[in-house]
Amino acid sequence: MADTRPDPKGHFYLPNQGNTERFTSPSTGGGGGKTPDRNRANHAIDLQASFNAALAAAEMQRAAREPGISAGTPGFYLEIDVNASNPAIVEKLEARQGKSQIELLTVRPSEADPTKITATLFVPDAKSDHYSKRIDDFSDPEKDNYTYEKDDQGAFKLDANGDRIQKSRRPKNNALIASVEAARLAQVRSIFTDAPATYPDPDTEVWWEVWLRNERQAVFSHAVEAVGMTSRESVIRFAERDVLLARGTARQLARILVNTDAIAELRLAKDTPSPFVLMEGSEQHEWADDFLARITPPDDDAPAVCILDSGTTHRHPLIRPALNVADQQHWQFDPSVEDVSANGWGGHGTQMSGLALYGDLTDHIYGQGEVELTHRLESVKILPDFGANDPELYGHITASAVSLPEIQAPLRDRAFCLAVTSSDTYLTGRPSSWSARLDELAYGEGETQRFIAVSAGNIHNAYPANEYMDQNDSAAIENPAQAWNVLTVGASTEKLNITEPALAGWQAVPAAGDLSPASRTSLTWSHDWPLKPDVVFEGGNHAVEPATGHTMKVDDLGLLTTFRRPEEAAFTTSFDTSAATANASRMAAQIMAAKSGLWPETVRALIVQSADWTPRMRGHAPEKPSKAEMRILTRRYGFGVPSLARAMSSVDNDVSLVIQREITPFVKEAGGIKTNEMVFHQLPWPVAKLTELENTSVELRVTLSYFIEPNPGERGWNKRHSYPSHGLRFAFKRPEESNERFRKRINAAAREEDDAISGGGGDGWLLGQRLRDRGSLHSDIWQGYASDLASLNGLAIHPVGGWWREKPALARFERRVRYALVLTLRTDVETDLYTEISNQIAVPVDVEIKN
């Protein structure tokens, strides 16, 4: 190799026939210019130092890999700056030959220097020296590439000595290495391809649009679970990339980046409502028309969601396919059944209709798939166009409204949606005339039971964001959501991303999976009143306004739905417990459509049974919460967020049993009204399989749902003046307790008219009897070992006192009542419990009559 000597500035020059040769930058084109003030030896030294530092950082990163996460091809992500005047050169950074391939992932303008572009690549450990070798070759003059002059016939021209005449001389790998400016170990931000200003803080949880390298979904899913993130199951597949949504922080993604080769690119999930709301009306209609073409309307006899609200705009193109004119009514004779109110609630009914029919329209509008509607809409207008209803008439108006669709379509199954409340929070759980009327409507004289979903009510004023949760806990659920027989719906949220450019710097109030900022709770209620809300559904999020620190609604964090004046716009956004209640009603109608013959009590039980607390909700309590901590959890979130998939199906290691029965709780004897019937269920547990699983953890969830006849009034709430007509309870056979002893124990307690029969199952119940036995819906979870569950194969449903028993003069004691019982057996171990159990069904039932 020729001798090199530094110039006075420390630059190295390579002698070449007496001239100072500097390497040629391909950015200047032709055989052209020189890179000012730099030569190739100096460039090679600087560049090699840059790569060496990156490789040293990669080695430290390699040593810190976590065995529980690491998967895929071992390697690291590398960020390389190249000259922006030659962008095509980035393709030469790849090395796609052989098993270990260097793959180009992203290319974006450099944040620090507009004259550069930055490429991010995945480099397998096996090819960590790939670029260093090419830099070495570039710096070695003996590996230079020469071109020679040719004559018109294509023959080489020769000099006087007979040697070829040199035309040009370039270093090996010149096109690539001359354009490379620097290298460094990549970070999560290196593969983020949205506007740099939108990159979230490291510990801010957001929804990411994750672009995966080919065949890396399993690797990514494993890592997501290991770092505590959440991902959606649906995947969009392209030739070289799979795209899915995942929720988590940049810090969690950094752990995945260090330990796997899965991620190619990151963007913020932009499936938010604001782009549609900000569109001109004509453009909104283009999107609505595209979606409309993909809709299959429901059958005329399909189940319906009946919206009790401000009316519904029938002419809206997305509502018309599911709402017949005859199913659009007013609780009084009134020509205006449309959503035309000039009051503050104008448009509310149309918003509820869109959500009850489609859920959040954002998913559908962005999507491309066909949508088959399995349920219809009905609308009864209960809110006046001007003024307000007399509060004394709330119960009467609701009852009148409920009767209208039943007269119009008496054979149709339906879920009533009432997202209208009044701020009578002073009741603190005590029944009102309105809530008691709802209980009567749901009970239906024991003949016409109804499913009614009611919103828990909202916090109506903005508040400082740092008071979040304290405000929710102190804001009591509004009237009439304290009703026992209805499904009371609070709001939770998974909404995090704010993509509207005008709102840069705004952030969502709670993290995903927590309570929506306006949702009310029952923490201030007396222990005697029911656990409310029963469940929470998506109700959107609020944002923190940077200037004031207060909470505020922004379209990005709402649910996209239908606008009442379609001539102006097709879409608007909806929020809070109203939106959540529409979503709950939609799920009820979907269950009715999928499983005909279910009672309203059963639909309510299935929704609650399918619910679970999110990790964020559970995170507010210790891993093993006390009963007091469970009280806070349930009175804030109910039983959690329901899942339609869980409500409608069993899988091998997650099996549900649904039982619908009738019982006559009381009988008149010489000594008064006594307990009459108790039902004993012999459960078809696969005893041999559970015994074989031995110390494997299992979970048994039980939900008992029935409707009571109310008897409201302020008369002390003792036995004689109790609000419910009756109560039902479930009790399990204790471990090692024989069937005969179990029966005797339940019978003895019933003879003593005991309202606190031990539930059995030892201390494994999450809520326990004292907490769960509120209202007319009882749900609890038993956790323990499989071998212990094998002995819990007997369950009794028994009545407890109410005014039917205490007031014989009213002659209600001989009435039969219905109950729905849902049991779900779940284990994390892969084992086929479904087949084992299904072989033993039908479930044996034994009714014992007390005389």
Side-chain angles (χ1 to χ4, degrees):
M1 182 180 291
D3 182 38
T4 59
R5 300 177 301 279
D7 72 358
K9 292 184 178 181
H11 293 172
F12 287 83
Y13 292 86
L14 298 176
N16 178 29
Q17 299 180 351
N19 296 321
T20 300
E21 173 78 1
R22 294 182 178 179
F23 75 88
T24 303
S25 170
S27 65
T28 60
K34 311 295 182 181
T35 301
D37 300 321
R38 299 179 67 191
N39 60 58
R40 68 167 169 175
N42 188 66
H43 178 68
I45 291 171
D46 291 345
L47 197 57
Q48 192 68 268
S50 177
F51 273 92
N52 287 343
L55 293 176
E59 182 60 37
M60 294 177 62
Q61 182 176 277
R62 186 180 300 115
R65 286 177 187 159
E66 303 172 67
I69 305 175
S70 293
T73 302
F76 56 94
Y77 288 76
L78 189 66
E79 196 174 63
I80 297 177
D81 292 335
V82 300
N83 195 304
S85 60
N86 190 26
I89 202 68
V90 296
E91 295 181 8
K92 294 184 178 294
L93 293 170
E94 284 193 308
R96 302 299 293 266
Q97 301 80 23
K99 293 183 178 179
S100 297
Q101 299 183 356
I102 297 176
E103 182 178 350
L104 178 66
L105 304 177
T106 67
V107 179
R108 67 193 193 284
S110 170
E111 293 184 44
D113 187 344
T115 68
K116 300 175 184 177
I117 56 177
T118 301
T120 305
L121 304 101
F122 178 78
V123 182
D125 288 345
K127 287 202 172 181
S128 59
D129 61 351
H130 174 82
Y131 299 106
S132 295
K133 288 180 179 179
R134 277 143 187 80
I135 296 171
D136 287 342
D137 290 346
F138 168 83
S139 65
D140 186 352
E142 294 183 3
K143 296 184 178 181
D144 286 354
N145 296 313
Y146 294 87
T147 60
Y148 300 93
E149 294 185 11
K150 294 182 179 181
D151 59 21
D152 293 341
Q153 284 73 40
F156 289 111
K157 293 181 179 180
L158 304 177
D159 61 14
N161 296 323
D163 295 325
R164 294 175 182 176
I165 299 174
Q166 181 180 327
K167 181 179 180 181
S168 66
R169 173 185 177 186
R170 288 177 181 267
K172 189 174 183 179
N173 303 318
N174 184 67
L176 174 64
I177 302 302
S179 294
V180 175
E181 302 282 347
R184 58 196 161 271
L185 190 67
Q187 308 295 324
V188 173
R189 194 170 190 137
S190 306
I191 54 173
F192 182 72
T193 56
D194 280 339
T198 64
Y199 187 77
D201 293 335
D203 294 310
T204 297
E205 196 175 49
V206 298
W207 281 100
W208 303 85
E209 187 179 276
V210 184
W211 294 61
L212 299 176
R213 300 174 68 207
N214 268 3
E215 300 179 357
R216 301 306 199 283
Q217 186 183 351
V219 171
F220 181 72
S221 297
H222 169 76
V224 160
E225 184 176 354
V227 303
M229 292 180 64
T230 300
S231 64
R232 296 254 175 96
E233 292 182 1
S234 56
V235 179
I236 301 174
R237 301 192 187 280
F238 299 104
E240 292 187 298
R241 295 288 183 260
D242 294 337
V243 185
L244 51 73
L245 297 183
R247 190 191 75 218
T249 67
R251 201 177 299 279
Q252 288 172 311
L253 283 171
R255 293 174 64 193
I256 295 178
L257 216 65
V258 168
N259 288 282
T260 76
D261 63 343
I263 306 176
E265 182 181 346
L266 291 170
R267 306 176 189 178
L268 288 179
K270 300 181 188 64
D271 291 358
T272 61
S274 66
F276 298 109
V277 176
L278 295 174
M279 289 176 185
E280 294 292 333
S282 59
E283 190 176 1
Q284 287 189 23
H285 277 289
E286 291 179 7
W287 285 92
D289 291 343
D290 174 78
F291 176 47
L292 182 62
R294 296 185 275 118
I295 294 172
T296 301
D299 296 333
D300 285 341
D301 60 352
V305 174
C306 182
I307 307 293
L308 308 177
D309 214 286
S310 63
T312 299
T313 300
H314 178 267
R315 67 186 182 278
H316 195 292
L318 297 183
I319 289 176
R320 193 184 308 118
L323 177 62
N324 292 330
V325 173
D327 293 326
Q328 194 178 14
Q329 304 183 74
H330 193 292
W331 78 275
Q332 288 180 312
F333 175 75
D334 192 310
S336 174
V337 294
E338 292 283 311
D339 192 359
V340 295
S341 171
N343 289 320
W345 49 71
H348 192 263
T350 304
Q351 293 174 27
M352 296 301 97
S353 297
L355 292 172
L357 195 56
Y358 302 107
D360 188 350
L361 273 171
T362 306
D363 299 333
H364 295 300
I365 301 298
Y366 277 113
Q368 296 297 322
E370 300 294 317
V371 176
E372 181 178 358
L373 295 176
T374 61
H375 64 280
R376 307 192 55 77
L377 282 178
E378 298 170 337
S379 171
V380 182
K381 191 170 184 175
I382 63 171
L383 297 174
D385 292 338
F386 302 96
N389 291 322
D390 185 344
E392 295 294 326
L393 296 176
Y394 289 167
H396 169 69
I397 292 171
T398 306
S400 299
V402 163
S403 68
L404 294 175
E406 295 176 338
I407 295 171
Q408 168 63 27
L411 300 181
R412 181 183 292 160
D413 291 331
R414 60 181 52 83
F416 290 97
C417 175
L418 179 64
V420 178
T421 60
S422 69
S423 55
D424 303 330
T425 56
Y426 66 89
L427 294 166
T428 61
R430 290 180 294 119
S432 66
S433 61
W434 191 9
S435 73
R437 192 71 178 100
L438 287 181
D439 280 333
E440 281 187 330
L441 291 169
Y443 172 67
E445 289 295 315
E447 299 294 335
T448 310
Q449 293 86 350
R450 301 173 176 93
F451 177 93
I452 306 173
V454 180
S455 61
N458 302 318
I459 300 173
H460 302 289
N461 300 317
Y463 58 81
N466 59 9
E467 296 179 8
Y468 166 71
M469 197 63 79
D470 290 337
Q471 289 274 355
N472 301 86
D473 288 348
S474 61
I477 284 173
E478 292 185 319
N479 187 31
Q482 71 272 37
W484 289 38
N485 294 340
V486 305
L487 183 79
T488 302
V489 185
S492 63
T493 187
E494 294 285 335
K495 302 273 187 176
L496 291 175
N497 293 13
I498 301 173
T499 61
E500 188 178 343
L503 299 179
W506 292 53
Q507 290 190 342
V509 176
D514 219 326
L515 201 66
S516 289
S519 192
R520 291 174 173 266
T521 68
S522 66
L523 281 163
T524 60
W525 287 8
S526 164
H527 171 77
D528 294 330
W529 305 125
L531 300 174
K532 297 285 183 175
D534 296 306
V535 288
V536 289
F537 278 81
E538 177 65 67
N541 206 338
H542 294 189
V544 183
E545 184 183 19
T548 64
H550 280 67
T551 62
M552 182 174 292
K553 296 177 184 177
V554 298
D555 287 328
D556 271 330
L557 300 179
L559 285 75
L560 192 68
T561 187
T562 44
F563 183 59
R564 69 162 166 168
R565 292 191 293 270
E567 298 80 9
E568 299 175 16
F571 307 123
T572 186
T573 49
S574 183
F575 292 83
D576 305 332
T577 59
S578 291
T581 306
N583 281 326
S585 304
R586 176 175 181 249
M587 180 175 173
Q590 288 173 311
I591 293 173
M592 293 174 186
K595 297 180 179 293
S596 61
L598 293 182
W599 298 339
E601 300 96 320
T602 313
V603 174
R604 180 173 71 151
L606 284 170
I607 292 174
V608 171
Q609 182 80 354
S610 75
D612 198 3
W613 299 289
T614 66
R616 181 74 183 181
M617 295 172 184
R618 289 178 181 268
H620 291 295
E623 185 176 351
K624 295 184 178 180
S626 66
K627 295 299 187 283
E629 289 159 338
M630 286 306 305
R631 175 186 178 276
I632 295 174
L633 194 70
T634 50
R635 288 201 176 275
R636 181 185 289 158
Y637 306 108
F639 291 96
V641 182
S643 162
L644 180 64
R646 283 197 299 266
M648 301 220 302
S649 64
S650 293
V651 295
D652 288 349
N653 56 333
D654 187 349
V655 188
S656 292
L657 304 176
V658 180
I659 303 167
Q660 298 184 147
R661 298 288 301 176
E662 289 188 355
I663 185 174
T664 304
F666 308 117
V667 64
K668 186 174 183 180
E669 296 179 351
I673 309 300
K674 301 294 183 182
T675 299
N676 181 45
E677 291 180 355
M678 291 168 289
V679 181
F680 292 86
H681 296 273
Q682 189 69 33
L683 302 176
W685 297 157
V687 175
K689 175 67 73 172
L690 292 173
T691 303
E692 177 186 322
L693 292 173
E694 197 176 4
N695 292 333
T696 300
S697 294
V698 295
E699 179 179 289
L700 172 64
R701 181 159 190 170
V702 184
T703 298
L704 173 64
S705 173
Y706 56 96
F707 293 158
I708 56 96
E709 183 181 10
N711 185 25
E714 292 294 337
R715 290 169 292 179
W717 299 97
N718 55 28
K719 282 187 177 183
R720 179 167 175 76
H721 299 297
S722 64
Y723 178 74
S725 54
H726 66 287
L728 298 179
R729 303 289 185 264
F730 65 83
F732 271 86
K733 187 168 69 107
R734 292 168 177 165
E736 309 304 327
E737 186 177 35
S738 68
N739 288 338
E740 185 60 29
R741 292 193 63 179
F742 176 45
R743 290 170 180 271
K744 288 181 177 179
R745 175 167 61 87
I746 301 299
N747 288 340
R751 280 195 299 271
E752 297 169 5
E753 299 179 353
D754 188 359
D755 193 13
I757 299 174
S758 173
D763 297 327
W765 293 102
L766 197 57
L767 273 66
Q769 188 165 15
R770 186 173 183 274
L771 181 56
R772 74 174 180 238
D773 287 349
R774 309 293 106 194
S776 62
L777 178 78
H778 315 298
S779 190
D780 207 346
I781 298 171
W782 181 90
Q783 296 169 325
Y785 294 129
S787 56
D788 292 334
L789 180 63
S791 63
L792 295 179
N793 59 359
L795 178 148
I797 302 296
H798 62 91
V800 295
W803 63 268
W804 281 0
R805 188 174 67 183
E806 302 302 327
K807 295 192 172 187
L810 296 179
R812 296 287 211 277
F813 51 82
E814 292 183 349
R815 289 195 173 188
R816 292 187 67 75
V817 298
R818 306 192 310 191
Y819 69 84
L821 179 66
V822 184
L823 303 99
T824 300
L825 182 57
R826 180 176 302 157
T827 177
D828 293 332
V829 175
E830 291 297 328
T831 182
D832 190 0
L833 295 176
Y834 178 82
T835 301
E836 295 275 351
I837 291 176
S838 62
N839 289 336
Q840 301 185 53
I841 296 176
V843 179
V845 177
D846 187 3
V847 179
E848 181 158 328
I849 300 177
K850 297 306 300 174
N851 294 313

